[in-house]
Amino acid sequence: MPWWFVLIWSTGFIVAKYGMPNAEPLTFLAWRFGCTLAVMLPIALLTRSPWPKRAVDATRVVAGPPAGGDLIGRRPLQASRLGPTHASHLDWPLLAHLAVSGILIQAVYLGGVWAAIKQGAPAGLAALIVGIQPLLTALFARVVGEPVSRRQWLGLLCGFVGVGLVVANKVGVRGVGGGTVALCVLSLVAITAGTLYQKRFCAHFDLRVGTVVQFGAAFVVTLPAAWALETMQVRWNAEMIGALAWSVLALSIGAISLLFLLIRHGAATKVSSLMYLTPPTTAVMAWLLFGETLSPVSAAGMVVAALGVALVIERRTSS
């Protein structure tokens, strides 16, 4: 499952290359989130997916005489607990947590990265800044009760060095403004906070329902932002339709579902370390699809990044 996630997740930059010329960043994401919601909501309803509920005790209300009399002869209703009656209501706190994590992981993270690239940030620079996520996640892993060992810290540092080598020839800061860098940093904070938040508050939920809630929340946030900041014009052609379809089916439904499962069953630091494999995988895809250069330094970086991830996720067995 982790390797399928890395492979599909890495196509995100390929989608951006096809989709960006045909739609502005937030507009494309609004279409992506809206279409994902349009696909998953009927599936959740038709399959009768279990929405999160919690049991509560209801107080039964019965009629009783007024205490001390009533001046106009009315008999008010008095609450009398005749024993708990169990009822199920939607677990609104859990749904709210899902919405928050969805906004962070989907709307803020993707919106920041796409907007930064649209403003001229080299893909390598964006990948390098967002690539700090595993290190940042490890720093705050104790929030979710996950200590990080020295071997894992070594692996995290090794992985970051590997990512740096992979994108070294694509990192250019000439002409890149502070606002563009700030968007990348915002994306970094959002994906880190979203991962830890979901692990802490809402790791367990039905995937169909969770997808509906998270992408619904992301859509509600992204659509007004696109309307206010962009023209929302879309050039509909084969590349745009293909990029949108892949974004919805493979990325938003496939990869995100895998990410949810990984967060549920694995440590946040281990899950985040898989992101180190995204730039190397994307570089290979770009070499195959677009003929981009794959230098010996980049190849060495792939090996170093893979070694770092292996150090983070390897399980030590005691004899």
Side-chain angles (χ1 to χ4, degrees):
M1 185 168 61
W3 313 120
W4 279 111
F5 165 73
V6 170
L7 183 62
I8 300 174
W9 189 265
S10 299
T11 63
F13 283 100
I14 307 300
V15 167
K17 191 174 184 68
Y18 283 112
M20 196 77 73
N22 299 301
E24 294 163 293
L26 297 180
T27 299
F28 185 93
L29 291 176
W31 274 99
R32 172 176 168 176
F33 300 153
C35 290
T36 303
L37 187 61
V39 171
M40 290 305 301
L41 182 58
I43 292 176
L45 294 177
L46 291 174
T47 58
R48 298 183 178 180
S49 304
W51 288 73
K53 293 184 178 181
R54 56 177 179 171
V56 296
D57 289 339
T59 301
R60 296 178 62 184
V61 179
V62 298
D70 188 281
L71 293 179
I72 57 176
R74 289 183 300 183
R75 295 169 60 83
L77 294 178
Q78 291 183 329
S80 174
R81 183 171 293 278
L82 301 180
T85 58
H86 297 286
S88 295
H89 296 285
L90 284 176
D91 192 342
W92 289 108
L94 178 58
L95 292 175
H97 289 318
L98 284 171
V100 170
S101 62
I103 291 171
L104 289 172
I105 295 175
Q106 303 299 330
V108 182
Y109 164 64
L110 291 175
V113 170
W114 279 54
I117 294 177
K118 187 68 173 181
Q119 291 185 8
L125 178 62
L128 187 62
I129 294 177
V130 177
I132 304 174
Q133 186 226 342
L135 289 170
L136 197 59
T137 301
L139 284 175
F140 295 97
R142 292 188 180 275
V143 174
V144 292
E146 297 175 0
V148 182
S149 66
R150 293 181 179 178
R151 176 177 56 84
Q152 288 179 316
W153 275 114
L154 177 62
L156 291 169
L157 291 172
C158 186
F160 182 70
V161 171
V163 170
L165 292 174
V166 171
V167 302
N169 63 332
K170 299 180 181 179
V171 177
V173 295
R174 181 177 301 178
V176 178
T180 303
V181 175
L183 287 171
C184 295
V185 173
L186 176 64
S187 296
L188 165 65
V189 174
I191 187 65
T192 304
T195 301
L196 292 172
Y197 189 95
Q198 183 159 318
K199 181 67 177 179
R200 174 67 177 83
F201 294 106
C202 50
H204 298 278
F205 54 88
D206 183 88
L207 290 178
R208 294 158 294 184
V209 171
T211 302
V212 169
V213 174
Q214 292 204 336
F215 281 93
F219 178 70
V220 168
V221 170
T222 306
L223 182 62
W227 181 82
L229 301 174
E230 299 176 349
T231 65
M232 297 194 70
Q233 294 180 355
V234 178
R235 186 185 302 113
W236 293 104
N237 51 38
E239 290 185 352
M240 175 64 187
I241 294 173
L244 182 60
W246 183 264
S247 294
V248 172
L249 300 176
L251 289 168
S252 294
I253 296 177
I256 293 299
S257 295
L258 291 174
L259 178 61
F260 289 166
L261 291 173
L262 289 170
I263 292 175
R264 178 183 301 175
H265 297 293
T269 301
K270 292 184 178 181
V271 175
S272 297
S273 71
L274 295 173
M275 299 299 182
Y276 282 149
L277 300 178
T278 299
T281 307
T282 302
V284 173
M285 291 180 179
W287 172 64
L288 292 172
L289 295 174
F290 309 118
E292 294 188 6
T293 303
L294 192 60
S295 67
V297 174
S298 297
M302 295 177 188
V303 176
V304 174
L307 175 62
V309 173
L311 289 172
V312 175
I313 67 177
E314 180 187 2
R315 292 183 179 180
R316 286 186 171 181
T317 56
S318 56
S319 56

